[in-house]
Amino acid sequence: MAGEAHEEGGLVFHPLDQFQIKPLFGDGPIHWYTPTNVTLWLGLCVLVVVALFVFGTRGRAVIPGRIQSMAEMAYGMVYKMVEEIAGHDGVKYFPMIMTLFVFILFANMLGLLPMSFTPTSHIAVTAVLGFGVFIFVTLLGLIKHGTHFLGLFWMSDAPLILRPIIAVIEVISYFVRPVSHSIRLAGNIMAGHAMIKVFAGFAAVTLISPLAIFGIAAVYGLEVLVAFIQAYVFTILTCVYLKDALHPGH
Amino acid sequence: MATETTVAEHGAEAAKAGIPQLEFAHFPNQIFWLLVALVVIYVVLSRIALPRIGAVLAERRGTITNDLAAAEELKQKARDAEKAYNDALATARSEAAKIVAEAKAEIQKDLDAATAKADAEIAAKTAESEKVIGEIRAGALQSVTEVAGATAQELVSVLGGNADAASIQAAVAARLKG
C-alpha cells in the first residue's frame, strides 16, 4: 500500500490524509455524536439534494426550467429502473431507492471538489448502505413469501444431483452480495481519490509535473464518470436484489 | 498488511500511518451521521420532492394528452368546415349554372320572338315593296306601250303610212311581248 508517508527530496505522499476524520470544532476525541467533516459533507450532500429536488421544482412548471429538468430526469431514470427491474410492485420502494441513488451520487460528486471529504470512500458508510439493503430485501422476501423465498437458492430446473451443490453456491453468493455491494463503491471512490493525490505528489517535481498534472486531469475526468457509474451500479443492483425478494420464483 | 492490522487493533493510536477507513473508533460517528443524512433525504424526497415531481409529470402528461385531443378535435372541425365550404361552393356553382341557363333560355326566347317579329316585318315590307315595284313596273310598262304606240304612229305617219291606232297598238303589244 502507498499508505506510508515518506519524504524523499520534493516527493511528499499523503494520499490517504484526505480520508482522515477530524472534528469540526476543536481537537477533542470523536464520539458518535461529534460533528466531524463527515457531518459537514453529509450535510452539504443533503443541502444539494434539497436544492435540486425541492427548490429546483418549487415552480411546478409544466414546461420545466433547467434545474427542474435535471430533477425530473433523475426521477425518471430511477423510476424507470425500479419499474423495469423490480416490476410494478417494486414501485412502492421507489423513494427508498431514489434516496440511495441521490445520496451516493451527490456524496461522490461533492467528494470530487478539491479539499473536500468523500463519505462514500469510507467502508463504514458503504457497509451501512450495502448491509442495510441486504437486510431489508432479505426480510422483505421472507415476510412476503415465507419459506418459498428460499426457492431462490433451489434451482428447480437444474439436474437433481447438481441442485444441492448449486444451492450451496447460491447461498454463498447471496451472502457475499452485501460485501461486494459495499466494497465496490468504497473501493472505487477511494482508489480514484488516492490516485489523484499520488499524481499531485509527483506534480511537485518540476521535471515530471506536466505529465503529473495531465494525469490529474485525466484521472479526474475518469472519476467524474466513476462517481456517476458507481451510484448507478449501486442503485441497479439494489433493484435486482429487490426483484429477487419480490419475485423469488426465478 | 501488518500495518493495517495494527491500525485496526490500536485504533486512533496508529491512525497516522494506516488507512483511515479501517479506524473502527470512528465508525459510530460515521454511521450515526449517515443515518441522519439518509433519514433527512428520505423524508424530504418521499414527503415533498417525489410527490411533487410525480404530480408535475402527471400534469404534463395530462396536458399533452388534452392538447393532442383538442388538436384532433380542431382538425376535425377544420375538416368539417372545409367540407361545408366545398359543399356550399358546389351548390352555389350549380345554382349559378342553373341561373345562367335560365337567363340564356329567356334571352333566347326573347331573341327568337324578336327575330320572328323582325322577320315578319321584313316579310311584310318586302311584300309591300314588291307590290309597289310591281305597280311601278306595270306603270312603266303601260307608259312604254303608250310611248311606243305614239312613237310608232308618228313614225308611220312620217313615213307616209296611214295606220289606225288599233292595229299599231296590236303590233306594238306583239313586239313588246316578243
Side-chain angles (χ1 to χ4, degrees):
Chain A
M1 296 298 303
E4 303 112 89
H6 49 95
E7 290 178 52
E8 287 165 20
L11 282 181
V12 184
F13 289 108
H14 297 295
L16 297 181
D17 278 6
Q18 56 180 324
F19 304 121
Q20 295 280 9
I21 293 168
K22 303 175 203 104
L24 276 183
F25 313 104
D27 207 16
I30 294 168
H31 301 292
W32 61 269
Y33 52 84
T34 313
T36 54
N37 46 354
V38 183
T39 319
L40 172 68
W41 289 94
L42 287 174
L44 287 175
C45 177
V46 170
L47 282 184
V48 172
V49 169
V50 169
L52 177 58
F53 287 94
V54 178
F55 289 100
T57 61
R58 73 186 182 287
R60 295 160 207 260
V62 174
I63 300 161
R66 281 180 227 172
I67 297 176
Q68 194 185 326
S69 282
M70 271 155 55
E72 282 173 10
M73 250 157 67
Y75 179 101
M77 195 190 89
V78 178
Y79 190 91
K80 234 167 83 189
M81 196 197 292
V82 174
E83 201 178 28
E84 274 171 15
I85 296 173
H88 281 292
D89 37 355
V91 168
K92 221 173 12 175
Y93 309 101
F94 165 62
M96 188 193 91
I97 291 170
M98 187 74 182
T99 304
L100 284 175
F101 177 72
V102 296
F103 169 74
I104 296 171
L105 181 66
F106 287 114
N108 289 351
M109 288 294 182
L110 287 174
L112 285 172
L113 295 173
M115 311 301 292
S116 69
F117 174 85
T118 321
T120 41
S121 67
H122 275 262
I123 194 73
V125 169
T126 59
V128 168
L129 297 175
F131 279 91
V133 168
F134 175 75
I135 292 165
F136 176 78
V137 296
T138 307
L139 288 181
L140 186 70
L142 285 174
I143 289 165
K144 276 212 168 228
H145 302 284
T147 50
H148 181 62
F149 178 63
L150 300 175
L152 194 62
F153 308 117
W154 195 252
M155 294 285 139
S156 46
D157 48 354
L160 192 59
I161 324 154
L162 287 178
R163 275 184 217 170
I165 304 165
I166 294 174
V168 171
I169 296 170
E170 286 287 326
V171 169
I172 292 172
S173 85
Y174 187 80
F175 282 95
V176 167
R177 274 177 180 184
V179 180
S180 64
H181 206 189
S182 45
I183 289 179
R184 182 185 303 112
L185 176 57
N188 267 291
I189 302 302
M190 184 187 162
H193 284 243
M195 194 139 76
I196 290 178
K197 268 284 150 72
V198 171
F199 274 114
F202 277 119
V205 182
T206 322
L207 200 63
I208 50 173
S209 65
L211 196 68
I213 287 165
F214 174 78
I216 292 175
V219 175
Y220 193 92
L222 187 71
E223 281 307 293
V224 173
L225 198 68
V226 166
F228 177 79
I229 286 174
Q230 285 307 317
Y232 186 81
V233 164
F234 195 97
T235 316
I236 211 162
L237 283 174
T238 305
C239 289
V240 171
Y241 300 163
L242 187 64
K243 188 210 83 180
D244 282 346
L246 293 173
H247 316 282
H250 18 248
Chain B
M1 275 309 177
T3 331
E4 281 177 54
T5 338
T6 331
V7 171
E9 279 165 0
H10 295 286
E13 291 294 310
K16 293 287 182 285
I19 303 176
Q21 271 85 344
L22 293 178
E23 203 156 327
F24 296 112
H26 293 163
F27 275 28
N29 180 273
Q30 297 188 56
I31 292 168
F32 168 68
W33 288 112
L34 170 67
L35 292 179
V36 170
L38 283 180
V39 167
V40 171
I41 292 177
Y42 181 79
V43 169
V44 166
L45 286 185
S46 64
R47 291 293 133 109
I48 307 171
L50 298 184
R52 187 188 286 175
I53 296 174
V56 168
L57 291 179
E59 194 192 338
R60 181 172 314 147
R61 214 171 303 131
T63 309
I64 290 171
T65 314
N66 285 347
D67 284 3
L68 281 180
E72 192 57 42
E73 202 176 301
L74 286 177
K75 204 171 158 195
Q76 189 58 44
K77 262 187 195 160
R79 223 179 269 139
D80 288 353
E82 199 191 350
K83 195 169 167 287
Y85 168 76
N86 279 339
D87 285 356
L89 201 64
T91 315
R93 259 201 198 119
S94 70
E95 218 149 272
K98 218 168 80 188
I99 288 167
V100 166
E102 264 169 24
K104 228 180 216 169
E106 208 155 291
I107 288 165
Q108 193 62 48
K109 217 171 77 190
D110 283 0
L111 201 65
D112 284 354
T115 313
K117 199 172 145 209
D119 278 355
E121 260 168 31
I122 290 164
K125 279 254 167 75
T126 313
E128 203 171 298
S129 304
E130 256 165 19
K131 206 174 111 201
V132 172
I133 290 166
E135 267 168 20
I136 291 167
R137 187 176 277 160
L141 209 60
Q142 184 67 31
S143 305
V144 166
T145 318
E146 273 169 20
V147 170
T151 314
Q153 198 150 13
E154 282 300 307
L155 281 171
V156 168
S157 60
V158 168
L159 291 171
N162 196 15
D164 63 313
S167 58
I168 289 172
Q169 278 302 330
V172 169
R175 275 292 184 157
L176 278 173
K177 266 176 200 154

